[in-house]
Amino acid sequence: DVRNEKMNISGEIYPDLGENGHIRAMYVDGNQLFLVLQKNASDKMKCILQTYNIADRKNAKLEGSVVVEGAYADSRKVGDFVYLFTNKGILYNETTYKGDKEKIIPLVNDKKIPSGCIYVQNHANSEFIAVSVNVKKPTEIVDQMMVMNASVNVYMGTDAIYLYSTEYKKEKAYTNITKFQYNDGYMSGVASKTIKGEITDVFAISESNNILRVLTTEWDEQSKNRLYMLDDKMQILGKLSGIADGEEIYAARYIGNIAYFITYHNTDPLFAVDISDPETPKVIGELKITGFSDYLHPYGKDKILGIGYETDAVTGEQLGVKLTMFDISNPEKLKVIDTLHIDGDYCSAADDYKTALVDSEKNVIGFNVEQWGQMQKEENAQDGRNRYYVYSWKNNHFVKQFEKKVPEIKNDMYEICDDLYVDNYDIRGLYIGDTFYLNYPSNKSYKLESYNMLKNYDEMDHLQF
C-alpha cells in the first residue's frame, strides 16, 4: 500500500512453485491478478495460469487455474482473455515413449490436445502450444492449438497472432511466418510465408491496417538487409533490399508511415523508410553516427530515443553506454539533438526493453547500467557495480535527475536462496503520481524504495520483503 508516504505490505500470496519453479509473468487488471508459474519436474515441465480475486487486497482468493504442458514461451492479456504460449521439445523414441506415440501430444488441463487443433510441419523438432482462457471462467480453456515446428517467437497484433522462426537452408537463413486469426479467445490458421533473412529485433515485425511489415538480416559472404510488406493473406505486396549491405539491423520502430531502424558495423546509421505505399517502400533518410542503439523508443511527437553503446569507429571497441535523442520531425533530414555517454559495460534496457522506464509525458528515462571494473571479461566477476539512473529531457539535453548504486548480486545468493530467481533484470524503476519507486534484490530478499520526484528525488521510505 503506497497511498501514504509510508509504504506497507497489505497482503501476500505464496503460490506453490515446487522445488525449482518460478513466476514468469504477472498481469493486474482491476480486481484480478494473473500469475503464470513455471514448474520443472524431473519428467515434465508445465506452466500454470492462476487467477486471483484481489478486491480485498489483504486476502487474495484463488479463483481458478489452468495447466499447460511445456516451458513458458510468452503470454498476452487482451480484453477478457489471457493467451498463454509454451514450448515442448520432441524427444520421441521407442524407449522414451514405450511405443505409445500419443505421448507426444501435450496435455492441457490433463487432457490431450484434440487432433483437430494440431498443425503439423515437416522436420519439426518441438511443439508450440497456445491456449486461451476467459478471465470470467478461469478454470476453463476457451481454445487451444499445437503447432509442430522449430522453436518459434510470437508477435501479436490487434486481431492476429504471428509465429515466426528461423530456418537454415544451405547455410542461408530464412524466416517462416505463420498467421493465426484470433477473436474472443478463438484461434484459427490463416496462411504462412517464408522470407529471406532473420528477424533480429523484437520490434522489427509489426502490423498496421492489415499490413505486416518485417525487417530481416541475411548473413552470407556479405550481410543483406530487407524490408517486406505482406498483405492479410501473407502475400508479398512489396519489398526493399540493398539497405546497408555488410551491416546488421540492431533496432527498429514503425511510426505512422515511416519505418525507422538502426544498422551497425562500426558506425550506427539510422534509416527512415517511407512505407505509405506498401508496394514501393523507399529510403528517404539516413544519418550516420558512431556507436549503435539496441533499443529505439518514440519520445513525444518528433523524437526517438536510442539506448545502446558508444564504440570506436575504427576498431569497433565498445566505449560505454550511450543515449541518443534523434530529431525525426523531417524524416528526410534526420538529426541528432543530443548524446550522453555513461561509464558502463552493460545496460539491461538495451537488451530487454521491459527493463526500461521511458515516458515522454512524465519526462522520465530510467535504466540500469552495470560496470564490471578490472575483471570485466572474467565470468562471475564480483568487483562490478550496478547503478540505476533517471534522466529527463530539458532544453534539448539529457539532464540527470537520480542516481543510485545498487548492491551487487553475489553468487552465494543463488545458492542460499534457491527460491529467489534474481538477476540484474530484476532492477526496476516505476512511478505513481509524483513518487518514484526503485525495486531491486538485496541481502537475500528484495528492497523497495520511494523518492519524491518534486523534491530532487529525496528518499521518502524503504521496505524490505
Side-chain angles (χ1 to χ4, degrees):
D1 187 343
V2 297
R3 287 175 293 181
N4 300 313
E5 289 191 6
K6 186 72 175 177
M7 298 183 292
N8 294 289
I9 295 176
S10 59
E12 295 177 317
I13 298 172
Y14 293 93
D16 179 11
L17 299 175
E19 291 185 1
N20 55 359
H22 48 268
I23 298 172
R24 293 304 307 269
M26 176 173 68
Y27 300 90
V28 178
D29 191 357
N31 287 322
Q32 282 187 308
L33 165 70
F34 308 91
L35 294 182
V36 180
L37 316 180
Q38 175 76 64
K39 283 194 172 184
N40 306 318
S42 57
D43 59 337
K44 183 179 297 186
M45 300 180 72
K46 59 184 178 181
C47 277
I48 303 171
L49 173 64
Q50 293 185 335
T51 302
Y52 291 86
N53 184 315
I54 56 170
D56 181 356
R57 300 294 198 259
K58 295 182 179 180
N59 298 290
K61 296 181 180 179
L62 181 63
E63 293 184 322
S65 301
V66 297
V67 181
V68 182
E69 194 173 351
Y72 176 79
D74 213 335
S75 61
R76 299 286 192 280
K77 184 179 183 300
V78 183
D80 287 335
F81 300 89
V82 175
Y83 297 82
L84 177 61
F85 309 111
T86 68
N87 279 312
K88 179 176 179 285
I90 300 175
L91 299 174
Y92 173 73
N93 59 57
E94 294 298 323
T95 303
T96 303
Y97 289 99
K98 296 183 174 62
D100 183 2
K101 295 180 180 180
E102 286 194 2
K103 287 186 177 180
I104 293 178
I105 302 174
L107 302 178
V108 175
N109 273 357
D110 295 324
K111 296 181 180 178
K112 295 183 186 297
I113 292 180
S115 59
C117 299
I118 296 176
Y119 297 81
V120 179
Q121 175 181 313
N122 290 334
H123 311 296
N125 57 23
S126 65
E127 300 169 340
F128 180 86
I129 304 144
V131 304
S132 59
V133 179
N134 189 327
V135 300
K136 297 177 181 178
K137 299 178 180 180
T139 61
E140 302 176 12
I141 301 295
V142 176
D143 198 8
Q144 56 190 305
M145 69 176 184
M146 186 265 279
V147 183
M148 295 181 67
N149 59 3
S151 181
V152 301
N153 296 290
V154 181
Y155 167 70
M156 203 158 176
T158 54
D159 57 6
I161 300 169
Y162 297 89
L163 308 182
Y164 61 96
S165 60
T166 303
E167 181 181 6
Y168 292 92
K169 301 176 183 177
K170 297 181 179 179
E171 298 184 351
K172 290 188 177 182
Y174 294 84
T175 296
N176 301 315
I177 308 175
T178 304
K179 178 180 180 179
F180 294 86
Q181 210 77 29
Y182 75 91
N183 184 41
D184 291 339
Y186 290 94
M187 300 168 284
S188 58
V190 177
S192 296
K193 190 66 177 179
T194 299
I195 57 179
K196 291 182 178 180
E198 181 178 354
I199 296 174
T200 58
D201 181 68
V202 65
F203 291 103
I205 178 170
S206 175
E207 179 193 51
S208 179
N209 297 322
N210 292 320
I211 303 295
L212 184 68
R213 300 83 59 93
V214 186
L215 284 157
T216 67
T217 297
E218 178 186 5
W219 289 273
D220 203 342
E221 293 180 359
Q222 185 181 37
S223 60
K224 299 176 182 178
N225 302 299
R226 297 181 178 89
L227 170 63
Y228 289 90
M229 309 290 287
L230 306 174
D231 66 14
D232 58 348
K233 298 295 188 297
M234 298 297 289
Q235 297 301 307
I236 296 176
L237 287 171
K239 67 178 181 179
L240 179 64
S241 57
I243 313 166
D245 289 346
E247 301 183 0
E248 174 188 346
I249 293 172
Y250 269 54
R253 276 287 184 169
Y254 298 89
I255 302 176
N257 288 323
I258 306 294
Y260 297 94
F261 56 94
I262 296 286
T263 64
Y264 178 70
H265 182 58
N266 281 343
T267 58
D268 173 4
L270 171 67
F271 288 92
V273 177
D274 186 343
I275 55 175
S276 57
D277 182 356
E279 296 183 3
T280 57
K282 57 183 179 181
V283 176
I284 59 173
E286 178 182 352
L287 174 67
K288 289 188 177 182
I289 60 175
T290 57
F292 60 89
S293 298
D294 262 323
Y295 175 55
L296 294 175
H297 192 107
Y299 205 82
K301 181 181 178 181
D302 296 323
K303 297 183 289 293
I304 289 184
L305 169 68
I307 302 178
Y309 302 93
E310 180 62 289
T311 60
D312 186 293
V314 177
T315 65
E317 180 186 359
Q318 192 168 303
L319 302 176
V321 175
K322 181 179 181 179
L323 300 185
T324 307
M325 191 67 80
F326 297 98
D327 180 351
I328 59 170
S329 57
N330 183 352
E332 297 181 6
K333 296 181 180 180
L334 301 170
K335 299 178 183 178
V336 171
I337 310 174
D338 191 27
T339 60
L340 177 72
H341 302 110
I342 301 172
D343 286 340
D345 300 287
Y346 178 74
C347 178
S348 60
D351 192 35
D352 180 359
Y353 71 93
K354 292 183 179 181
T355 66
L357 171 64
V358 182
D359 189 328
S360 60
E361 291 187 7
K362 193 67 175 178
N363 197 13
V364 293
I365 303 168
F367 54 93
N368 177 61
V369 171
E370 183 176 353
Q371 189 166 8
W372 298 328
Q374 297 298 319
M375 299 171 61
Q376 60 179 338
K377 301 299 182 183
E378 296 184 19
E379 188 176 358
N380 300 325
Q382 293 298 307
D383 68 335
R385 67 177 189 269
N386 291 320
R387 292 184 184 273
Y388 194 92
Y389 294 94
V390 176
Y391 283 83
S392 62
W393 180 252
K394 294 182 179 180
N395 300 320
N396 288 335
H397 292 288
F398 294 104
V399 179
K400 186 167 67 175
Q401 303 290 342
F402 175 80
E403 177 182 349
K404 168 76 177 186
K405 184 176 180 180
V406 181
E408 279 295 297
I409 302 170
K410 302 297 183 181
N411 288 342
D412 59 359
M413 186 172 178
Y414 296 96
E415 299 171 3
I416 297 174
C417 300
D418 292 334
D419 60 335
L420 194 59
Y421 185 73
V422 298
D423 57 24
N424 291 331
Y425 290 94
D426 287 339
I427 302 172
R428 298 293 183 97
L430 64 148
Y431 72 85
I432 300 175
D434 293 316
T435 303
F436 174 76
Y437 300 90
L438 186 64
N439 184 59
Y440 57 90
S442 174
N443 192 26
K444 306 182 183 68
S445 61
Y446 278 90
K447 195 169 185 180
L448 180 66
E449 299 170 344
S450 61
Y451 300 86
N452 190 328
M453 301 172 72
L454 298 180
K455 295 183 178 180
N456 299 316
Y457 282 77
D458 289 344
E459 184 169 357
M460 299 165 58
D461 193 21
H462 64 272
L463 187 67
Q464 198 94 13
F465 62 95

